């Protein structure tokens, strides 16, 4: 089951990466980057690294998104 969750999260991350590359609107790119960081934090939780996941969620999805907005 853990394998399927990890594969789903990595597939979503790949889709978000393609969307970031294709997107022309800067606001959408910032929001997609925040979603990407949240998905990366979720991957870290699946890999049993809660300290890295909390750091990624707070810095990557939180602070970076607010600064870029």
């Amino acid at each position: 089951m853990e394998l399927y969750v990890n594969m789903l999260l990595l597939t979503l991350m790949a889709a978000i990466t393609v969307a970031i590359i294709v997107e022309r609107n800067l606001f959408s790119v910032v929001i997609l980057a925040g979603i990407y960081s949240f998905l990366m934090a979720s991957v870290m939780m699946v890999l049993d690294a809660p300290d890295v996941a909390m750091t990624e969620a707070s810095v990557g999805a939180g602070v970076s998104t607010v600064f870029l907005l």
Side-chain angles (χ1 to χ4, degrees):
M1 183 67 178
E2 182 179 332
L3 176 67
Y4 295 122
V5 172
N6 207 2
M7 286 174 48
L8 175 68
L9 289 171
L10 292 176
T11 304
L12 286 172
M13 286 176 60
I16 294 294
T17 303
V18 171
I20 288 173
I21 293 170
V22 172
E23 188 63 44
R24 302 288 294 170
N25 186 2
L26 291 179
F27 181 74
S28 298
V29 170
V30 170
I31 297 302
L32 286 170
I35 294 170
Y36 182 86
S37 293
F38 177 72
L39 287 173
M40 180 57 81
S42 300
V43 168
M44 292 300 163
M45 283 301 292
V46 171
L47 295 175
D48 293 330
D51 52 341
V52 178
M54 289 190 328
T55 303
E56 177 65 31
S58 63
V59 174
V63 175
S64 296
T65 303
V66 170
F67 283 158
L68 290 174
L69 286 177

